Amino acid sequence: RRGGWRSRLGTALYIAASRIDWAEPEIKGLGQVVKPGDTVLDIGAGLGMYTVPLSYLIGPTGRIDSVDPQPRNFHVVRFLRALVGTAGGKLRRVAMGPSAGEGEVIVPVRGPFPIFGHGHLRPIGTPSARRVHRIRTDIDTIDEWVEREGLGRIAFIKIDVEGFEPSVIAGARGVIDRDRPALLMEIEDRHLVRYDRGAAEFLAEIAERWPEYRMYTWVKGAWSATAEVRPEVRNYLFTTSVPA
């Protein structure tokens, strides 16, 4: 069964916010790929936009691990997980990448305000042409985390890390090889270019290693198959079965 009334209410509020572009519309399609009892990962949890509805969908028998390296986001998601009664899983203040280590989250500053939503991972001490706020963080990998925690099948992974998505996937190859989880990822050339990557190259890598995956976007209330990344679309679902 799905979550209780608190997580159901939180999910309803996020869905209502998506109708006026205050939340991402893809949250309305999560129920077609996430089921009660699933184990799911929210990488780049931000302000809990996906953690809350995922908590509702997996219910009391599921598990959700939420991950974000920024202290502000960590504390907001911790509050939301407690507020909606997230049953299982952990919250970690860490970045996910291709290998374990350390790095810095670079947060652009506009006027007096840090723009936390544009924070992105860089090697420690990376020069920047603009004023930034720096946050030191540990880096882990999804493969090592899943092994340490002894997790069973991973059903779904959401990744929104401002262009670092290919590196997160590089550290999750074992889990993807094993489980073929549904993947919901932000893919935008304007972010990928930070790491000298491009959307076409990233899609080619996925297709070569996991040809079973098909790519979808959320269009007019349904997942629609697509073969390309378009500038007006941020998030793309990869799954081995037709979402229903």
Side-chain angles (χ1 to χ4, degrees):
R1 62 189 176 89
R2 292 181 172 175
W5 69 268
R6 289 184 293 168
S7 61
R8 184 171 67 248
L9 176 60
T11 299
L13 291 174
Y14 276 112
I15 289 175
S18 73
R19 297 193 179 105
I20 55 175
D21 295 328
W22 286 5
E24 294 180 353
E26 289 81 8
I27 63 176
K28 293 182 284 189
L30 293 177
Q32 296 183 25
V33 291
V34 176
K35 308 301 179 186
D38 280 349
T39 297
V40 303
L41 308 178
D42 185 2
I43 309 300
L47 298 180
M49 186 192 310
Y50 284 87
T51 287
V52 170
L54 287 171
S55 296
Y56 168 63
L57 291 170
I58 64 174
T61 60
R63 170 173 175 143
I64 176 169
D65 288 354
S66 307
V67 175
D68 201 288
Q70 298 191 51
R72 182 202 66 152
N73 296 349
F74 173 86
H75 292 301
V76 169
V77 174
R78 181 171 63 179
F79 170 76
L80 289 173
R81 286 175 63 106
L83 185 67
V84 303
T86 299
K90 293 184 177 181
L91 168 64
R92 295 189 65 203
R93 190 171 81 78
V94 69
M96 290 294 177
S99 58
E102 292 185 332
E104 283 183 335
V105 176
I106 305 298
V107 181
V109 177
R110 295 178 186 170
F113 302 110
I115 311 301
F116 292 103
H118 290 174
H120 54 278
L121 194 67
R122 282 292 197 185
I124 295 172
T126 301
S128 176
R130 58 171 92 171
R131 194 157 60 97
V132 298
H133 176 60
R134 299 176 183 272
I135 301 169
R136 291 285 289 267
T137 181
D138 290 332
I139 302 173
D140 201 355
T141 75
I142 289 176
D143 282 344
E144 291 177 6
W145 169 248
V146 168
E147 182 177 0
R148 284 198 308 272
E149 290 292 305
L151 300 185
R153 179 181 181 271
I154 306 299
F156 175 85
I157 306 175
K158 168 254 170 182
I159 308 173
D160 182 352
V161 288
E162 301 298 299
F164 205 58
E165 288 81 8
S167 295
V168 175
I169 289 294
R173 288 173 180 164
V175 167
I176 299 173
D177 286 343
R178 185 190 75 177
D179 299 335
R180 297 297 193 274
L183 307 169
L184 182 64
M185 294 187 284
E186 181 184 69
I187 303 178
E188 294 187 89
D189 277 315
R190 67 189 179 111
H191 296 319
L192 290 166
V193 71
R194 294 190 179 108
Y195 305 99
D196 299 319
R197 303 299 297 270
E201 172 194 2
F202 186 31
L203 295 185
E205 291 172 0
I206 293 173
E208 181 179 1
R209 186 174 181 105
W210 302 292
E212 312 95 310
Y213 276 116
R214 295 294 178 266
M215 186 167 70
Y216 299 82
T217 57
W218 184 253
V219 180
K220 296 181 179 180
W223 292 109
S224 177
T226 185
E228 61 182 2
V229 168
R230 302 190 302 276
E232 70 275 15
V233 179
R234 295 178 58 188
N235 299 312
Y236 297 83
L237 175 69
F238 296 80
T239 180
T240 59
S241 58
V242 178

